[in-house]
Amino acid sequence: MTEELQTIIDLIRYGASRFNAAGLTFGHSYDNAIDEATHLTLHALHLPHDLGPAYGQARVTLAEKEDVLALFLRRIEERVPAAYLTGEAWFAGLSFKSDRRALVPRSPIAELILSGFEPWLGGREVRRALDLCTGSGCIAIAMAHHNPDWHVDGVDLSDEALSLAAENEQRLEVANVRFLKSDLFSGLQGEHYDLIVSNPPYVTNDETDALPREYAYEPEMGLRAGDDGLDLVLKILRDAPLHLTDEGLLICEVGESEQHLVRLLPELPLLWVEFQVGQMGVFVAERHDLVTHNARIAELAAAREAAPATPAAQAGAAGTELF
């Protein structure tokens, strides 16, 4: 059946057709079958990810075809995310090592990094930036790479994630980033930042339980965040002002839990980022607004801490009310 597949474009088309027929889920770096089949094909052929379309008609050898088809088969039968099959994920124009120690890099925050976080920064100077819940280190490293005059910290509670982040730091040869183990802000006493960026766990319990098989390969600690997905986000909102400079900004991804956050804190003025593909659950908050509403935020966070702990809640940092 596959004897007629002779060129690179033949393999990509075949892979996309098989992936769609198998009902695969595309939520890890790629959102469609063609892009994912392209990624796997080029990886198996040891070709660059930005190979020009003129090479699509290049013929492949039998051994090369077998390598590509073997990757396709694993993707279909095991439902392993493509980035874990290839060990690589692209984020903000950079190639990151990706494996099961951390979530596959895929945040829309990459677009903000490439735009210099404008217009949200409004031209204000950034000397120190923090990536909270850094995982693979992709946000921290991308911020450091694209802003060599910034000093960037990346923190995570997971030793495995931090080991992967360190490997990515070496892979991309960035000199202005450091990684620290911290339970949210608990290990950052006395540290202050002009910009805090976070892509924390924000998937609700029900959504986590219903996720497709692909997500089972990722650490659940990076996904599950309580009944409304806000267990960690509320702690971040509460404690961020203690670590922001006076004009500092908090940028945080909450995905589909945006609706729960708006309902829970309607009085908190949050700016929701419009990306090239639309709104994707990323908000921008000014320090002074977080201070103004800190009492209410702290009250809500305290109620979560008093409730029976979920795995994600256990990963959150205890904090104190600011004022």
Side-chain angles (χ1 to χ4, degrees):
M1 173 179 167
T2 59
E3 291 79 5
E4 296 177 3
L5 304 177
Q6 298 181 342
T7 67
I8 293 175
I9 200 67
D10 286 344
L11 289 169
I12 292 172
R13 197 281 312 157
Y14 176 75
S17 296
R18 290 289 310 277
F19 292 169
N20 284 326
L24 298 188
T25 294
F26 309 106
H28 299 88
S29 297
Y30 301 103
D31 62 3
N32 64 84
I34 292 177
D35 286 348
E36 193 155 295
T38 300
H39 175 66
L40 291 175
T41 299
L42 295 179
H43 173 81
L45 297 177
H46 306 286
L47 293 171
H49 79 288
D50 55 355
L51 187 72
Y55 290 92
Q57 297 303 322
R59 295 168 67 92
V60 297
T61 67
L62 178 59
E64 288 175 330
K65 183 196 302 187
E66 289 176 347
D67 288 342
V68 173
L69 295 179
L71 268 186
F72 287 173
L73 189 62
R74 284 198 66 195
R75 180 67 183 92
I76 292 169
E77 292 191 344
E78 300 176 33
R79 294 300 204 264
V80 183
Y84 288 168
L85 289 175
T86 64
E88 178 186 48
W90 285 84
F91 180 84
L94 302 172
S95 168
F96 287 86
K97 181 176 182 179
S98 182
D99 60 36
R100 296 183 63 178
R101 287 175 287 177
L103 301 187
V104 174
R106 56 180 179 272
S107 172
I109 289 172
E111 186 178 318
L112 291 179
I113 295 171
L114 292 174
S115 70
F117 293 98
E118 294 295 351
W120 312 105
L121 281 176
R124 70 191 88 183
E125 183 181 13
V126 174
R127 295 181 179 178
R128 299 193 66 206
L130 171 67
D131 173 20
L132 196 64
C133 306
T134 193
S136 66
C138 61
I139 291 176
I141 291 170
M143 285 198 295
H145 173 87
H146 290 290
N147 302 278
D149 56 333
W150 293 10
H151 296 282
V152 182
D153 287 345
V155 305
D156 207 284
L157 183 59
S158 165
D159 290 322
E160 290 193 338
L162 288 171
S163 68
L164 178 58
E167 291 172 23
N168 276 317
E169 178 186 2
Q170 292 183 334
R171 176 188 181 102
L172 289 158
E173 300 179 337
V174 290
N176 54 324
V177 65
R178 66 171 179 167
F179 290 104
L180 307 166
K181 183 174 182 178
S182 178
D183 192 350
L184 293 183
F185 292 106
S186 65
L188 298 175
Q189 289 88 349
E191 303 283 359
H192 294 88
Y193 303 92
D194 305 297
L195 174 65
I196 296 176
V197 181
S198 184
N199 178 16
Y202 57 73
V203 185
T204 69
N205 290 330
D206 287 346
E207 289 169 341
T208 304
D209 292 339
L211 284 172
R213 280 176 58 193
E214 282 87 346
Y215 293 88
Y217 289 92
E218 296 187 298
E220 186 176 289
M221 177 182 174
L223 297 168
R224 188 183 294 274
D227 290 338
D228 61 2
L230 299 177
D231 282 4
L232 273 71
V233 173
L234 287 172
K235 296 174 183 179
I236 293 170
L237 289 168
R238 177 192 64 193
D239 297 338
L242 288 169
H243 301 277
L244 282 168
T245 54
D246 288 345
E247 300 300 320
L249 276 186
L250 168 66
I251 296 179
C252 184
E253 179 175 344
V254 296
E256 294 295 328
S257 291
E258 171 187 341
Q259 57 184 321
H260 302 300
L261 180 57
V262 172
R263 190 178 305 121
L264 198 61
L265 285 165
E267 69 278 17
L268 181 63
L270 300 174
L271 298 173
W272 295 94
V273 179
E274 287 286 336
F275 293 91
Q276 293 178 3
V277 294
Q279 194 165 304
M280 298 183 70
V282 175
F283 69 77
V284 179
E286 297 274 357
R287 180 187 185 275
H288 60 80
D289 289 326
L290 296 177
V291 170
T292 299
H293 298 279
N294 180 260
R296 175 58 177 160
I297 296 170
E299 177 186 0
L300 292 169
R304 303 295 174 99
E305 291 173 341
T310 64
Q314 292 169 349
T320 57
E321 186 173 328
L322 287 177
F323 304 101

